[in-house]
Amino acid sequence: MTQTGSAPVRRLSRTSGGAGGWGSAQRLIPGLGLVPFALYVLIFLLIPTVLALTTGFFNRSGAFTWDNIAALVDPTVLKTFGNSLWISLLTAALGALVGAIVCYALLSFSPTSRLRASVEAVSSVLAQFGGVMLAFAFIATIGVQGLLTVLLKDVFGVALYPGEIWLYQMPGLILPYLYFQIPLMVLTFMPALSGLKPAWTEANATLGGSSWTFWRRVGIPVLAPAFAGGFLLLFANSFSAYATAAALISQGSQIVPLQIRTALISETVLGRENLAGALALGMIVIMIVLMLAYSALQARTARWQK
Amino acid sequence: MSDPTPTAQRSGVSVHFRAVTKEYGAQRALNGLDLEIKPGEFVALLGPSGCGKTTALRSLAGLESVTSGELLIDGEDVTRVPVNRRDLGMVFQSYSLFPNLNVIENVEFGLRTRKVPAAERTARAQEMLERVGLGDFAERYAHQLSGGQQQRVALARALVTRPRVLLLDEPLSALDAKVRTQLRDEIRRIQLDLGITTVFVTHDQEEALAVADRIAVMNAGKIDQIGTPEELYRRPETGFVANFIGQSTLLTALVHEGRIALLGREIDLTEPLPEGALARVRVRPENLALESFEHGEGEPGRVVTSSFLGSLRRTTVHLDSGLSIVVQHSAEDTPEVDQQVRVRLLQDVVTAHVD
Amino acid sequence: MSTVKTLGSARRVRASHSLAPRRPFATTVLVVIGLLFALPLIAMVEFSLRTTTGHGLEHWTGLFDPANEFRYRPLFGGLVESLTLALIAIAIVILMLLPTTLLVRLRFPKLVRVLEFITVIPIAIPAIALVVGLAPVFGASIRIINSGTVVLGLIYGILVLPFAARALDASIRAVDVPTLVEAARSLGASWPRVFVRILLPVLRRGIVAASFISIAVVLGEYTIASLLNRQNLQVAIVSISRSDPYVAVIFSLLALAFVTVLLAVIGRIATPKRKVFDV
Ligand SMILES: Nc1ncnc2c1ncn2[C@@H]1O[C@H](COP(=O)(O)OP(=O)(O)OP(=O)(O)O)[C@@H](O)[C@H]1O
Ligand SMILES: [Mg+2]
């Protein structure tokens, strides 16, 4: 055998030995490499998560109590959860709908067009544009001295706030939330919509179907999981949003995140010491329900998806 | 609404392209295309990439609007009829099964749009699935099928409505060689069974030669020549066609007293060419023979390559006169590279042109 | 005349098989929604230009006026704090998340799902809920580490996990790392050499994308910092907005512009698929 002939053979046997015959020592050393990250995640993610889930079951002195959990059915707390749910539902539904319409409109432009690329780029920025900066943007727009408020009054004689100033209350959250929800929907839904193959519509047409036939029997069923997935993502997104509300809402704790803040910074809320823990538990439970709904949805459509 | 005629009795309809032109901006994909297809005929549209085959088929289907010209189906002008009312069946190159519907629902799709009653719908769909050999696959979804199976379902879906014309746009190009020949022969069998007029787009000449009644060779948005596979093979009318169908070598020869000298032979011309002109002659590998250098006749040369094709061999010979030429011969002869050989012309009749 | 006719027929033929809406409809939708979305941005700019007498650059120039230095010091302090936090988060991504992801992919493929699960937890648990559990951990850690900035940076490292992991994952998938490593190893390269000479250069795009998205997340973070009483950029903007709303708006605009640039760069090299939650 020549020199060149033997080299690949040797190389081959070494690789196969490495892959197949790991001794425990060979596994142990790389295993040690996982330790720092595992410890880090344990301390800064898993322990806080467990604490967030469980502190509600204890009072300040560490004794077990149902007291905080019982507060979840307190009318005030129920009302807060109700508020959070409806604002999330409303902004998720509107955001998903308008976002889907924008995606649909974008279909009439080529996927490689400048327009589509820039709408996607702008969406990825605006979807990130949450928090307090967003609150300032809307105060500058429809605040008492906002650009639009002033324009409407001076030019059209229309008063944006004939009564109370709703921007600083619950309804004031709707427009700012839509400002990040719609772009988020565009980002999540566009890939699904552009995944509809032209061959499907063409097959539909040659088989005698109209546009409507296509949407009813193929387009909508194929897109439904992506739409529902986008909706759930938007819902979760609104539901966990805190900063915009914190910067906008001047009085009261109408939604759960604001209620948690109040519970965290005051000694007692509704006469209870660890209400924040109970509220966090409630929020996380709702988020888990959303995730389960999402995976149930995936399972339902899995029969025809790869 | 349903069509009561039993499938087997239904004879095909004629299809007519009349001076069809299609422009994409400045690009002319079809350039005054004329093509007449007889009822029940299986015509292959053959041509190099970008010559307009797909465009021709899609224009007939109504998926593209033509810039000018007319399309007739069964004598009726369909140029302005929308695609969903042209009553054609189409199988696409890319897999086009609806992913959310299973196989039988896919096949039933066209029957639903025609409001065929449920019982008849299922029966017809099932019957068509049996015909393409997928009777047991009714409940599967597209992603659970192989490429070949998906195209069979697409074929069943296109045929179940008993369309006037069947259009196939390279339906086999994504499949591997074995499935390709198998499915190609099956398509032909079913087409003959149903007697449906069929237009089959392909860039694979072997495929076209194997299944088509007639082949239309397209070049730059027009039909260069249309004829039976035999006609195209034996009597190509243009250099383009000769080049495209089968393999051949282009030789040049001087016309002298109604004859030309080729590979050491004098050949009579069937049609007169001007005296003294340089004729371009196409010679196919099977019209040549390989002879021994010492004892044979013909022009001498050296073997460049030789490839084994099963029952026969093709050998490229570099002639001493400077040309390379491909010769087909029995697989029993195994010339070696660089061996000295002679190449002889077998036939007296070859096609010659003067440009 | 003939062109008009063909156009008409083209539309009729097209309608039944084209997915896309008519161009005028599409354009109208996009223009209307585009204008509505531009309005708050225009309003912010206009607001930042307001002066007692009309419009001018007063508030913008005032930002760099030494006379105002004392007033704006917390704001610049918050900016520095946020940038430091971003650096810590990036360090965690590169020094901990990246090696772990590679190790899991190459040596412990069974743990891929576990790692994926861990990296999505910060999305599933709202920051405002997590902060309830973070507060005691913060208190305990600060006694050991003795730097609020470092501890908060470690927390932010967790917050950026979902986004950074996704960016890294995309670039790891794109190059078939296992084959690459096997090839390098079979040629006799040592592990550290493989990491530095092969993997880092090949995964450069993913690392840059992960770092930029981390900066974007950290610069926008308000929830945890405010509830743990740390002065980062967002907290500083909120507190100054009470006395000087113009500067708050200017800083918001600048932060937005900066994030736009970061994301534009990421868009060039990889596409982020999900939003940074309203943290
Ligand atoms: N939508 C379009 N826009 C612009 N030009 C097009 C379009 N579709 C086809 N063409 C052009 O028209 C010509 C014919 O295209 P066509 O698809 O009919 O070719 P083909 O013969 O089917 O080729 P292939 O064998 O590669 O499928 C090509 O030059 C192509 O570039
Ligand atoms: Mg084609």
Side-chain angles (χ1 to χ4, degrees):
Chain A
M1 191 177 268
T2 61
Q3 276 290 42
T4 44
S6 70
V9 176
R10 202 191 300 141
R11 219 180 281 152
L12 210 80
S13 64
R14 194 211 269 174
T15 337
S16 68
W22 274 1
S24 55
Q26 268 167 303
R27 240 176 202 287
L28 200 63
I29 296 168
L32 283 177
L34 296 177
V35 171
F37 186 73
L39 272 180
Y40 169 61
V41 165
L42 178 73
I43 297 171
F44 288 99
L45 180 60
L46 300 182
I47 291 179
T49 304
V50 171
L51 284 179
L53 283 168
T54 53
T55 40
F57 292 99
F58 300 93
N59 63 19
R60 288 272 153 91
S61 41
F64 182 87
T65 172
W66 285 108
D67 200 30
N68 297 311
I69 304 302
L72 287 178
V73 292
D74 182 291
T76 324
V77 175
L78 278 183
K79 179 103 197 312
T80 334
F81 269 97
N83 283 342
S84 265
L85 289 176
W86 83 249
I87 192 125
S88 306
L89 196 68
L90 183 71
T91 58
L94 284 175
L97 207 67
V98 177
I101 291 173
V102 170
C103 292
Y104 178 58
L106 284 175
L107 270 191
S108 89
F109 298 87
S110 138
T112 52
S113 64
R114 273 239 177 121
L115 181 93
R116 257 172 82 166
S118 36
V119 169
E120 269 160 39
V122 167
S123 297
S124 75
V125 173
L126 293 184
Q128 307 264 18
F129 187 37
V132 294
M133 303 183 291
L134 183 60
F136 293 140
F138 275 82
I139 292 171
T141 315
I142 52 174
V144 182
Q145 291 301 318
L147 182 62
L148 191 65
T149 319
V150 173
L151 275 182
L152 283 178
K153 193 161 64 198
D154 292 357
V155 181
F156 303 101
V158 180
L160 199 53
Y161 299 109
E164 50 190 350
I165 301 165
W166 46 259
L167 179 61
Y168 304 111
Q169 298 168 9
M170 276 279 292
L173 293 180
I174 296 172
L175 290 177
Y177 279 18
L178 285 178
Y179 202 76
F180 57 72
Q181 297 282 51
I182 293 171
L184 180 57
M185 186 66 183
V186 170
L187 286 184
T188 42
F189 193 60
M190 198 64 215
L193 194 57
S194 29
L196 289 181
K197 290 203 219 157
W200 295 339
T201 53
E202 293 175 357
N204 165 70
T206 58
L207 291 167
S210 61
S211 273
W212 172 235
T213 318
F214 172 77
W215 284 111
R216 189 166 51 94
R217 306 228 34 231
V218 181
I220 292 174
V222 166
L223 292 176
F227 185 85
F231 172 81
L232 284 178
L233 180 66
L234 265 56
F235 187 96
N237 195 26
S238 283
F239 188 69
S240 46
Y242 165 77
T244 312
L248 262 186
I249 294 191
S250 44
Q251 276 174 7
S253 308
Q254 293 91 332
I255 57 175
V256 184
L258 295 184
Q259 186 85 276
I260 292 183
R261 172 188 62 183
T262 316
L264 276 177
I265 57 183
S266 0
E267 281 289 299
T268 57
V269 171
L270 299 171
R272 290 165 175 96
E273 288 176 340
N274 266 340
L275 187 63
L279 293 168
L281 174 67
M283 270 191 105
I284 295 172
V285 166
I286 288 176
M287 291 296 282
I288 289 172
V289 169
L290 289 176
M291 302 243 152
L292 291 179
Y294 183 73
S295 60
L297 185 86
Q298 296 276 307
R300 236 184 76 82
T301 52
R303 70 198 160 104
W304 56 264
Q305 275 175 342
K306 265 175 237 195
Chain B
M1 281 296 281
S2 71
D3 185 347
T5 330
T7 31
Q9 279 177 27
R10 177 158 182 178
S11 57
V13 301
S14 66
V15 170
H16 220 125
F17 287 79
R18 265 197 206 144
V20 174
T21 295
K22 167 72 187 174
E23 285 166 1
Y24 291 109
Q27 166 110 27
R28 246 185 200 204
L30 296 180
N31 189 8
L33 178 82
D34 279 305
L35 176 62
E36 225 183 306
I37 301 172
K38 297 180 210 121
E41 203 177 18
F42 190 125
V43 167
L45 277 186
L46 180 66
S49 188
C51 70
K53 307 178 296 287
T54 298
T55 309
L57 200 74
R58 290 172 59 85
S59 304
L60 180 58
L63 293 169
E64 303 287 349
S65 59
V66 300
T67 311
S68 67
E70 281 178 347
L71 293 157
L72 284 80
I73 296 177
D74 204 9
E76 172 207 352
D77 183 354
V78 296
T79 320
R80 308 230 177 294
V81 176
V83 48
N84 51 352
R85 272 184 254 132
R86 287 197 191 183
D87 191 16
L88 308 169
M90 183 148 178
V91 178
F92 299 83
Q93 175 175 3
S94 60
Y95 302 133
S96 63
L97 295 188
F98 303 125
N100 59 319
L101 303 178
N102 64 22
V103 164
I104 190 103
E105 289 167 335
N106 261 285
V107 178
E108 286 179 28
F109 194 93
L111 298 174
R112 262 178 200 274
T113 63
R114 286 169 175 73
K115 302 203 167 51
V116 174
E120 186 193 340
R121 202 163 67 205
T122 315
R124 275 169 69 175
Q126 189 62 39
E127 190 248 354
M128 196 49 83
L129 275 181
E130 310 279 350
R131 217 185 251 277
V132 298
L134 290 178
D136 298 333
F137 290 70
E139 303 296 321
R140 299 240 195 147
Y141 286 88
H143 77 271
Q144 299 166 318
L145 300 175
S146 72
Q149 290 167 338
Q150 291 192 45
Q151 290 303 65
R152 280 165 203 264
V153 177
L155 182 67
R157 182 177 69 179
L159 285 172
V160 75
T161 58
R162 294 163 195 160
R164 297 191 288 180
V165 183
L166 176 63
L167 308 177
L168 305 150
D169 187 3
E170 307 203 23
L172 310 175
S173 65
L175 309 177
D176 68 54
K178 196 164 171 212
V179 182
R180 198 152 62 207
T181 23
Q182 202 182 341
L183 192 48
R184 153 193 110 184
D185 296 340
E186 233 167 288
I187 290 175
R188 175 56 161 166
R189 177 178 56 74
I190 295 169
Q191 184 267 338
L192 285 173
D193 263 12
L194 303 180
I196 185 173
T197 311
T198 300
V199 188
F200 182 98
V201 164
T202 178
H203 59 251
D204 180 347
Q205 49 136 332
E206 192 203 317
E207 209 164 270
L209 291 169
V211 293
D213 290 317
R214 286 196 300 158
I215 299 174
V217 180
M218 279 191 76
N219 180 20
K222 273 206 267 214
I223 306 287
D224 237 42
Q225 184 180 355
I226 177 162
T228 64
E230 295 246 297
E231 282 168 351
L232 289 182
Y233 196 82
R234 304 223 177 281
R235 288 187 299 281
E237 280 165 13
T238 65
F240 179 81
V241 173
N243 203 15
F244 204 76
I245 306 270
Q247 198 177 1
S248 60
T249 308
L250 186 66
L251 304 172
T252 44
L254 195 68
V255 179
H256 180 60
E257 293 174 351
R259 319 179 83 193
I260 50 173
L262 210 59
L263 300 175
R265 279 183 73 161
E266 298 271 307
I267 301 165
D268 291 314
L269 290 171
T270 45
E271 284 160 49
L273 289 174
E275 173 75 16
L278 267 185
R280 296 154 71 76
V281 185
R282 295 207 159 263
V283 187
R284 297 201 183 279
E286 59 270 32
N287 296 341
L288 297 167
L290 204 62
E291 304 256 319
S292 105
F293 181 72
E294 291 82 16
H295 313 294
E297 39 183 307
E299 252 196 75
R302 278 176 191 278
V303 173
V304 181
T305 60
S306 178
S307 51
F308 178 62
L309 301 173
S311 59
L312 34 87
R313 251 178 191 284
R314 277 193 180 173
T315 299
T316 308
V317 178
H318 188 77
L319 298 175
D320 292 349
S321 58
L323 272 171
S324 281
I325 194 162
V326 183
V327 185
Q328 183 172 309
H329 55 90
S330 151
E332 273 145 42
D333 300 332
T334 50
E336 281 183 16
V337 172
D338 240 20
Q339 188 184 333
Q340 282 205 305
V341 291
R342 283 176 192 278
V343 177
R344 180 171 65 93
L345 193 64
L346 282 176
Q347 269 187 315
D348 286 342
V349 184
V350 288
T351 25
H353 301 270
V354 174
D355 298 321
Chain C
M1 278 315 279
S2 71
T3 32
V4 175
K5 235 188 234 158
T6 18
L7 269 180
S9 80
R11 185 167 299 160
R12 242 183 35 225
V13 170
R14 189 174 157 267
S16 65
H17 77 271
S18 175
L19 274 174
R22 301 264 166 86
R23 204 35 100 69
F25 168 81
T27 315
T28 315
V29 166
L30 294 177
V31 166
V32 168
I33 293 182
L35 284 177
L36 288 176
F37 269 83
L39 197 60
L41 302 177
I42 297 169
M44 277 172 102
V45 174
E46 190 268 347
F47 187 81
S48 74
L49 296 176
R50 284 187 196 177
T51 61
T52 37
T53 51
H55 288 92
L57 283 173
E58 217 169 84
H59 301 296
W60 287 82
T61 50
L63 213 52
F64 304 102
D65 188 342
N68 293 330
E69 207 220 301
F70 181 73
R71 254 173 69 211
Y72 295 148
R73 189 178 288 164
L75 204 46
F76 287 101
L79 181 60
V80 171
E81 170 85 0
S82 277
L83 291 175
T84 316
L85 292 167
L87 278 183
I88 298 173
I90 291 173
I92 290 167
V93 166
I94 295 176
L95 299 178
M96 288 234 245
L97 179 62
L98 177 61
T100 307
T101 310
L102 287 171
L103 199 57
V104 165
R105 284 223 162 251
L106 295 173
R107 283 309 192 69
F108 303 97
K110 282 186 190 141
L111 294 181
V112 167
R113 304 302 301 267
V114 178
L115 186 63
E116 267 171 14
F117 177 74
I118 288 174
T119 55
V120 297
I121 298 179
I123 283 195
I125 314 279
I128 182 74
L130 195 61
V131 87
V132 173
L134 278 172
V137 171
F138 184 79
S141 320
I142 213 163
R143 255 172 267 136
I144 301 164
I145 299 181
N146 204 14
S147 156
T149 307
V150 173
V151 177
L152 189 59
L154 290 169
I155 292 174
Y156 282 3
I158 293 288
L159 281 194
V160 305
L161 270 189
F163 310 101
R166 192 170 319 222
L168 291 180
D169 211 46
S171 74
I172 290 175
R173 272 173 212 273
V175 292
D176 189 8
V177 168
T179 310
L180 206 64
V181 170
E182 206 160 293
R185 294 281 292 155
S186 74
L187 293 171
S190 66
W191 274 108
R193 197 176 164 79
V194 169
F195 188 78
V196 175
R197 300 297 295 273
I198 314 271
L199 294 178
L200 281 187
V202 163
L203 302 177
R204 197 184 63 237
R205 286 157 170 271
I207 294 169
V208 171
S211 307
F212 282 14
I213 193 85
S214 302
I215 299 175
V217 173
V218 171
L219 284 188
E221 211 286 328
Y222 172 75
T223 310
I224 292 175
S226 74
L227 291 172
L228 294 181
N229 286 317
R230 301 293 312 172
Q231 290 287 313
N232 74 357
L233 178 63
Q234 297 293 325
V235 174
I237 289 181
V238 170
S239 42
I240 202 154
S241 74
R242 305 207 177 95
S243 60
D244 190 344
Y246 301 104
V247 167
V249 167
I250 288 175
F251 259 75
S252 299
L253 273 174
L254 291 176
L256 186 64
F258 184 57
V259 168
T260 305
V261 172
L262 288 182
L263 293 179
V265 175
I266 296 178
R268 283 277 161 84
I269 55 182
T271 325
K273 288 275 163 357
R274 262 168 123 175
K275 175 200 192 280
V276 175
F277 275 64
D278 182 20
V279 282

